[in-house]
Structure formats: C-alpha cells, structure tokens
Amino acid sequence: MPTKIEKDAARQAEAEAVRTTGHEWDGIYELDTPLPKWWVYLFIACVVFAGVYALLYPSIPYGRGYMHGILGYSSRDSVNAEVAAVDKQRAVAMGRIAVLPFEKIEADPELREVAEIAGRTAFANDCQPCHGAGGAGRPGYPALAAGAWIWGGHLEDLQATITHGIRSSDPEARESDMPRFGADRMLTKAQIQQVADYVWTHFYGHSESGVDTAPGEKLFADNCAPCHGDHGQGEREVGAPRLASHVHLYGDARETIVAQIVAPHEGIMPNWNKRLDPGTIKSLALYVHGLGGGE
Ligand code: HEC
Ligand code: HEC
C-alpha cells in the first residue's frame, strides 16, 4: 500500500511529465495538450471544402445580389426545366389523346395515365359543381355513376354530350323537349294527378292503396309512351329519361312528377368545346365512363 506521501510524489512526477502552458493557480496547472491529428485534418478539409463550394455554387450574398458561382447552378432553373419537360411530355400525350380512337388510348398505359389525371382534374373543376363528387348527381343534375343514362353511356355518347352540351347554344347540341301538359292546358288538373299516380306507383315503385291507376295508364299510353316508351323504359333518341327506374333526374317524390308534367324543367348542360380542348374532353369521357355506369 503506497503512503500518502508516495502518492503525492507520483502525482507530482506525472504532472511534470505533461506539458503545461506554465499557468498555475493554487497548484492547478493548465495543460498544453495538442489537438488530435484527425480533428485538425478534418477541420482543414471542411475549410477547403467550404471555400471550393463557395466558388462553384451560389453562395455569399451582397447588396441585392449574391455570388453566382462558377458552375452557374440554380435550383430554380432546374425545377423550371423539369416542369417544362413534364409539360411538354403532357402536351404531346394530350395531342395524341385528342386524335386517337378510345381503344388505342385505353391500350396505352402512358396515355391512360395522362387521361386519368386530366379527366379527374377537369371533372373536379368543371363538372363537380353541378354533377356532384364522383358524379353522384343531385336533383336536376343527372347521376353519372349510376348507369341510368338519358343520352347514352358509351364513350362516344359521352364525348358528344360533353362536347356539344344539352339545350346549349351549340348548333349540334342535344335537344329534347317535353310538352308543357299543364301550362299549355293539354291535360286537365285531374288528368295530371291520374297520370302522376300511375307513373309514381307503376314505374317509381311506390305503393299507394286505394288508387285506381287505370285512367292514368290510358293517359300515359296516349300522351307519354311515344317518348318514354310503353314500359317507361325511356328513349335515348329523344332524350326522354327512363321512368321505370330508381334513379330520377328530379327526385323520387310524387310532387316532382306533377311539377314536371305541368311545366318541364329542361335543364341546360353547357357545351364544353369552347372552354376545353378535345384531349381534355376525351379524358373526361373516359373518366365519366369509369365512374361506375359506363357502357
Ligand atoms: C351548369 C351545370 C352543369 C355543369 C357545370 C355540367 N353539367 Fe353535365 N349536365 C347538366 C344537366 C342539367 C344535364 C341534364 C340535361 C338533361 O335534362 O338532359 C347534364 C347532363 C350531362 C350528361 C348526360 C347524362 C346522361 O344521362 O346522358 C353528361 C355525360 C354530363 N352532363 C357530363 C358533364 C361533364 C363531363 C361536365 C364537366 C365538363 C358537366 N357535365 C358539367 C348540367 C351540368
Ligand atoms: C316529346 C317527348 C316527351 C313526352 C311526350 C313526354 N315526355 Fe316526359 N320527358 C321528356 C324529356 C325530354 C324529359 C327530360 C326533360 C327535362 O329535363 O326537363 C322528360 C322528363 C320526364 C320526367 C322526369 C324524369 C326524371 O327522371 O326525373 C317525368 C316524370 C316525365 N317526363 C313524365 C312524363 C309524363 C307523365 C308524360 C305524359 C303526360 C311525359 N313525360 C311526356 C320527354 C317527353
């Protein structure tokens, strides 16, 4: 066991072997240990790297400008160039979508993807306000996902509807006209109630006890079947909606049927050929077709 004196002597010897700065306070010495070599080299490497980087790339600001660097690199330029390249690629794809038949577009995965994005975006911007999200429809604005088409759900039908509109100002717009049976006194009030009863119970599928639908059936055959069909199946040629269905343009209530017979709404679907390019219109046709009711 070393004594206290021996321990102190050993500590003294150890201290003398170490370099100090010569500063000493109350027996406490300031050591003069050199920095580790690895640290010094790393430090020098960082300084050199920073200097070279500052010379090559945009770096030190001054006044309103900054040092642009020898390489002339700019992250904004490179983003702009990337955006321009994507735009150009998209424009080429949209040009091809505009001219190719639908089968060719659907068979090409790249075109299909561009059409899918263009269709979804345009639908959200231009169609959703009237037709609802996902083409769910609402009173007066037909559902586009239900397969209950007034004018047809083939891709070409959709393209024509979207391009020229319905009762729009376009010369090739789809036109259809239901007579104003009430407003123009073609049917009496009582007859309108009778034919509405028949449509509501027989085609819309509601049951109302004690209603005699025979007079309504006769009125329907005489006045309505020429457009809506004997079985209420509708007629696309004249844009007369299917009545034997659970999807209705103006809702399911008996009063809406009466209102329609008195004075039809005849909603307007804008023609989009003035506002959208042919590629976007075809993309929309594909998108609407894919909502669930496409034919
Ligand atoms: C201002 C409201 C409005 C906007 C916006 C609108 N539509 Fe329509 N759309 C209608 C109305 C109203 C009808 C039904 C017309 C009728 O009575 O036949 C219709 C009918 C349709 C039909 C025919 C449905 C069928 O059953 O045959 C399609 C397809 C259609 N719209 C697609 C679109 C697309 C795609 C867009 C977006 C580019 C769009 N609509 C924007 C009001 C609108
Ligand atoms: C000349 C053709 C024609 C005749 C005749 C006709 N309709 Fe229509 N009907 C239409 C058209 C076109 C529409 C869609 C018009 C609209 O959007 O206002 C329609 C819409 C309707 C609707 C709304 C359907 C829905 O989905 O909400 C009802 C109900 C209806 N007709 C009932 C009748 C009844 C009842 C008669 C006979 C008294 C009749 N129609 C005669 C063409 C006709």
Side-chain angles (χ1 to χ4, degrees), residues 97-122:
I97 290 170
V99 294
L100 287 175
F102 282 112
E103 319 83 82
K104 287 261 168 63
I105 301 168
E106 284 182 309
D108 182 328
E110 192 203 324
L111 290 186
R112 225 174 38 212
E113 195 189 327
V114 173
E116 153 84 31
I117 295 169
R120 189 169 0 109
T121 314

Side-chain angles (χ1 to χ4, degrees), residues 35-66:
L35 291 165
K37 290 238 162 43
W38 66 264
W39 194 94
V40 175
Y41 291 139
L42 195 64
F43 179 71
I44 293 169
C46 286
V47 172
V48 171
F49 177 82
V52 172
Y53 189 95
L55 277 179
L56 294 180
Y57 287 98
S59 53
I60 304 164
Y62 55 79
R64 293 192 173 184
Y66 62 92

Side-chain angles (χ1 to χ4, degrees), residues 73 89 148 190 199 207:
Y73 170 86
Q89 212 181 343
V199 170
S207 53

